[in-house]
Amino acid sequence: MDKVKLEYKIPKNKTIEYNDTVIEVKPVLSLAEQSFLINKYVEDYFFSDEKIIKYPEYDFFGAECNLINYVYQTCTNIDIEDFENDLYVDVKLWKDVISKIINFEDFRKKLDVIILDIKEEKALEKSVGEILNKASSELIRIINKFGDIKPDDISKAKDAGLELLKEFEKSSMNNVVSPISTNSKKKKKKE
């Protein structure tokens, strides 16, 4: 099979009309722009110091508003300098803009997968971290009392250790099944 050389041609800008204003929209998010938007969204979603809504752990609302802002800046000729905040929640304008970006839906799927992966990592770290934190606190308490230890204290420490092991067994960390262990169990059943 003969190889052919491909040359990327930048598609022409599309236009939309909003309140008698013609807006140009760049129809493709480049790889660099997608990387930039994903990094900014992750930063705004998980690590923002200036949350728009203060109480949830993650700032979904702020990340979404900033995503709209960044897309308008990178893909349109909209002047953001005097942009009214209410335009960030104008669903019609947003849908009109992203409908002209042919790879926006694919980009959004990638972004959503990345956010879900990070959330799962954080949840796993939390559950294992809590168990290890309890275990280390209990161990430090026992070591500090080591000089005054009595047989009854050893029994209490044993019970506390068993309780921590039970908690660990219930944690999501222990419920993760490796494909290797699953396959070896299947093989043993066949034999």
Side-chain angles (χ1 to χ4, degrees), residues 166-183:
K166 285 178 187 175
E167 281 186 47
F168 184 71
E169 286 175 355
K170 291 178 188 175
S171 79
S172 60
M173 173 83 173
N174 197 36
N175 291 331
V176 174
V177 178
S178 113
I180 296 169
S181 66
T182 305
N183 290 336

Side-chain angles (χ1 to χ4, degrees), residues 1-185:
M1 181 182 323
D2 292 335
K3 299 289 183 184
V4 295
K5 286 196 175 198
L6 290 179
E7 185 180 325
Y8 180 73
K9 292 188 179 183
I10 299 170
K12 292 182 181 177
N13 288 350
K14 308 284 184 186
T15 58
I16 60 171
E17 194 169 311
Y18 180 81
N19 293 343
D20 300 324
T21 304
V22 175
I23 299 171
E24 285 187 41
V25 181
K26 194 171 75 164
V28 176
L29 281 170
S30 71
L31 186 62
E33 289 166 338
Q34 288 185 46
S35 297
F36 168 79
L37 292 172
I38 289 170
N39 283 322
K40 292 303 280 177
Y41 192 96
V42 167
E43 189 177 303
D44 294 336
Y45 191 94
F46 291 104
F47 308 109
S48 176
D49 290 333
E50 299 173 11
K51 291 181 180 180
I52 293 176
I53 299 173
K54 296 182 188 214
Y55 293 104
E57 183 178 356
Y58 305 126
D59 190 12
F60 172 78
F61 189 72
E64 285 293 310
C65 288
N66 286 335
L67 176 65
I68 292 168
N69 180 328
Y70 301 139
V71 168
Y72 287 167
Q73 287 183 57
T74 57
C75 296
T76 73
N77 64 339
I78 297 173
D79 183 5
I80 302 296
E81 287 292 316
D82 298 320
F83 201 70
E84 293 181 35
N85 284 338
D86 287 337
L87 287 170
Y88 288 113
V89 292
D90 185 327
V91 176
K92 183 179 179 340
L93 175 60
W94 175 241
K95 283 187 175 182
D96 286 349
V97 168
I98 63 172
S99 72
K100 298 298 180 188
I101 303 172
I102 58 177
N103 62 343
F104 188 84
E105 191 175 318
D106 180 59
F107 159 76
R108 187 65 207 219
K109 286 177 185 174
K110 292 173 193 168
L111 175 61
D112 291 342
V113 166
I114 290 168
I115 294 300
L116 183 62
D117 285 348
I118 294 171
K119 278 184 172 180
E120 288 174 353
E121 284 176 15
K122 287 181 165 287
L124 187 61
E125 286 172 6
K126 248 185 205 178
S127 65
V128 172
E130 281 296 314
I131 292 167
L132 292 176
N133 201 11
K134 285 181 183 178
S136 65
S137 295
E138 189 64 23
L139 186 61
I140 290 170
R141 190 184 67 73
I142 291 169
I143 290 171
N144 288 338
K145 290 186 168 187
F146 198 67
D148 303 331
I149 216 157
K150 298 174 185 141
D152 192 36
D153 292 335
I154 292 173
S155 178
K156 286 179 185 176
K158 178 184 157 195
D159 292 342
L162 288 172
E163 193 60 38
L164 286 170
L165 281 175
K166 285 178 187 175
E167 281 186 47
F168 184 71
E169 286 175 355
K170 291 178 188 175
S171 79
S172 60
M173 173 83 173
N174 197 36
N175 291 331
V176 174
V177 178
S178 113
I180 296 169
S181 66
T182 305
N183 290 336
S184 63
K185 286 178 186 176

